[in-house]
Amino acid sequence: MKTSAITLAALPALAAAYPGIMGLHNRQAAEEMFQKMQARDAAPAAAPEANPQLLGGLVDTVSDVVEDTVTSLVNDVQGLLGTVAAVVDQDNLRPEPGFEFQEPGPGDSRGPCPGLNLLANYGYLPRDGHVNFGQVVDAAARGFNMGVDLSTLLSVFAVLTDGDITTQSWYLGGDPHADISPNREDYYLGCGDNHHLSSRMFEQNVKYAAADGSKEFTLDVMGSQYKANSEHSQAQNPYLWYFPFPSIVSLGAFAFYPNFFSNGTYGAGGVANYESISSIIGAQLNEETGHYEYVPERWPENWYRRSTPYGAVDALTDGFLTIYPRNPVPMPIAQLGTDNFNVQTVLCDVYSGINSIVPLALADDYESLTGEITWALGKLADVGITADLLGCPDNSQSDYVYPNSEQPGGPQNPPPVDEETWQGDNVYGKTYFCEKPNEPMCRHTC
Ligand SMILES: *[C@@H]1O[C@H](CO)[C@@H](O)[C@H](O)[C@H]1NC(C)=O
């Protein structure tokens, strides 16, 4: 198995493949883009952030909030308890008979994605965590009602970046990741550990939920979480890995909290309550320390999955039009900052970005590279994602470009991560990252 450490270390070099567009890497361009999107989409909840002068004030508020005492965290959690879904459908009660929770044992592979870890903990996926494409598409639909186009997109990404193409399989512990995650530290700042739940991040997330009128982990609350995490990553992580394809995994993950982890259907009576979210992502409050231990992901008692599928267009819409504008990260999406920025053009960029991911991760030579791309495009076509249907330009598959592999962050010159400290599979029952890492934090249990 290819370790995630090696693969992920290689990927920041993608920047080199987009020299022109990476010139966007400045705040002004991002602000301009953001203002245009604000003007067009006029989302009232996020409106104050359109004024860059306000940004500083908001940031201060966040750090004050995060520094609150243990008592106030415990009080916040108590204030969050007790919200239940108005409408649920008995057919959607999970787990179904025959699927029992069982903690992962030694050698069972678990990774950064709480949803997939959970499905393996119930036997919806192989308990050893060695999963294949078809299993993931089926299990994600059955357990969470994930649309087949979305699970296909995510699985293509997993196989291309960290899997085995012949068997279309990968290990959950070698799962692909993107920086700026809801509750995992960046690969670089976590000193290679982007797998374990970060206590300080979830404490921050709870504060946002407690401060919100809903007392839930709504899309808006997750937008605040994204904003804080994104600001931190952009300020402290010189190897921030953010490109069209992986950004779907990052932005999607924030949208997945309410949309997949709610009790009942979010937006139709379902609630993204603390009971559901904390249990599903494996966050257990230690009332003595005020920090969160990372425990195996499990559904709370009496939990109902959403009753309608949530697919690729839903995820891209929530991710790119609601979460991302809260703190845009410059990345090679040609339409950023133009009136042409919408879900379709983003999907085209993702689509044409596929063969820029592949060579870094898998292909040894040009022939096998062509094979990987053909495979990936075929999988996407099976679920209706094609250049034609998307209305992408004809030549939307960009050429194989991969220069400057030796520049800092490139595959020949990876970030200074100590691979001894982090090997792959999750270790539960501990607390990780009580403090914000401002540089790689290698001793991170607390
Ligand atoms: C989910 O909602 C149902 C229906 O309101 C409720 O009976 C159940 O206790 C809720 N479960 C959780 C974990 O919130």
Side-chain angles (χ1 to χ4, degrees):
M1 170 190 145
K2 199 183 277 264
T3 72
S4 60
I6 290 164
T7 308
L8 295 174
L11 285 162
L14 273 177
Y18 297 93
I21 306 167
M22 289 310 282
L24 253 183
H25 214 295
N26 68 62
R27 177 121 314 261
Q28 194 193 344
E31 297 289 359
E32 279 167 15
M33 185 221 97
F34 177 67
Q35 278 162 12
K36 282 191 184 156
M37 289 182 64
Q38 280 293 325
R40 215 178 47 253
D41 300 313
E49 292 162 23
N51 180 348
Q53 258 117 49
L54 280 179
L55 282 174
L58 289 172
V59 172
D60 289 346
T61 313
V62 171
S63 19
D64 290 349
V65 163
V66 171
E67 279 157 21
D68 273 359
T69 60
V70 171
T71 324
S72 101
L73 183 72
V74 173
N75 288 344
D76 279 339
V77 167
Q78 270 148 14
L80 290 178
L81 300 176
T83 321
V84 290
V87 194
V88 291
D89 170 356
Q90 287 308 312
D91 290 347
N92 290 313
L93 182 65
R94 290 294 178 276
E96 299 157 287
F99 295 90
E100 301 288 322
F101 174 80
Q102 214 174 285
E103 293 204 1
D108 288 341
S109 185
R110 296 291 184 273
C113 174
L116 292 180
N117 291 343
L118 180 146
L119 291 167
N121 292 345
Y122 285 88
Y124 279 94
L125 285 172
R127 291 183 189 273
D128 68 2
H130 186 203
V131 302
N132 72 35
F133 199 104
Q135 290 166 342
V136 167
V137 169
D138 287 348
R142 200 158 168 186
F144 290 106
N145 222 337
M146 182 179 283
V148 169
D149 54 357
L150 178 55
S151 50
T152 295
L153 199 63
L154 298 173
S155 298
V156 162
F157 181 67
V159 171
L160 290 184
T161 55
D162 224 351
D164 173 55
I165 193 116
T166 320
T167 54
Q168 303 187 22
S169 68
W170 70 98
Y171 287 85
L172 296 184
D175 222 16
H177 94 116
D179 283 337
I180 312 183
S181 138
N183 285 296
R184 303 290 187 277
E185 301 293 343
D186 286 357
Y187 179 77
Y188 172 77
L189 293 171
C191 197
D193 183 358
N194 52 21
H195 280 208
H196 291 119
L197 176 92
S198 163
S199 183
R200 68 99 190 164
M201 278 184 169
F202 193 61
E203 290 163 40
Q204 168 190 281
N205 208 338
V206 164
K207 292 288 181 192
Y208 286 126
D212 193 81
S214 66
K215 306 292 173 212
E216 290 177 42
F217 294 72
T218 59
L219 200 56
D220 188 50
V221 164
M222 295 313 293
S224 301
Q225 180 77 352
Y226 166 77
K227 178 173 180 290
N229 292 358
S230 170
E231 281 169 356
H232 180 68
S233 294
Q234 290 193 70
Q236 307 297 343
N237 182 358
Y239 298 102
L240 186 59
W241 186 53
Y242 224 71
F243 298 92
F245 209 153
S247 71
I248 290 188
V249 181
S250 161
L251 296 169
F254 288 87
F256 293 173
Y257 274 55
N259 284 296
F260 288 126
F261 303 162
S262 279
N263 182 28
T265 312
Y266 184 66
V271 291
N273 57 354
Y274 177 85
E275 289 89 335
S276 301
I277 302 292
S278 60
S279 175
I280 290 172
I281 69 163
Q284 187 171 79
L285 178 65
N286 178 326
E287 296 199 4
E288 311 271 286
T289 63
H291 298 304
Y292 281 90
E293 283 160 21
Y294 183 33
V295 296
E297 294 86 352
R298 80 188 282 175
W299 279 308
E301 291 297 312
N302 260 318
W303 183 89
Y304 297 81
R305 71 165 194 181
R306 56 179 299 115
S307 59
T308 50
Y310 177 90
V313 170
D314 301 308
L316 289 167
T317 305
D318 285 343
F320 279 98
L321 301 186
T322 303
I323 302 288
Y324 185 65
R326 299 290 296 273
N327 186 251
V329 183
M331 64 175 151
I333 289 183
Q335 299 83 4
L336 276 186
T338 74
D339 292 341
N340 209 15
F341 181 70
N342 58 40
V343 168
Q344 184 214 323
T345 51
V346 169
L347 206 46
C348 286
D349 272 307
V350 167
Y351 186 82
S352 56
I354 285 175
N355 67 356
S356 301
I357 298 277
V358 176
L360 299 173
L362 273 181
D364 297 319
D365 53 47
Y366 194 80
E367 220 163 277
S368 67
L369 166 67
T370 311
E372 315 314 347
I373 295 170
T374 306
W375 172 80
L377 297 182
K379 282 292 177 189
L380 295 178
D382 286 349
V383 294
I385 303 177
T386 65
D388 266 3
L389 278 172
L390 295 173
C392 306
D394 274 353
N395 57 345
S396 63
Q397 281 302 299
S398 51
D399 284 342
Y400 168 48
V401 261
Y402 185 24
N404 303 338
S405 66
E406 295 191 5
Q407 79 169 30
Q412 316 299 327
N413 191 1
V417 164
D418 177 7
E419 290 181 18
E420 294 304 309
T421 55
W422 176 239
Q423 294 300 332
D425 292 333
N426 295 353
V427 177
Y428 295 96
K430 296 185 181 188
T431 299
Y432 299 92
F433 299 104
C434 290
E435 305 296 331
K436 255 187 194 178
N438 288 325
E439 52 190 43
M441 190 182 276
C442 296
R443 299 181 61 101
H444 51 267
T445 49
C446 45

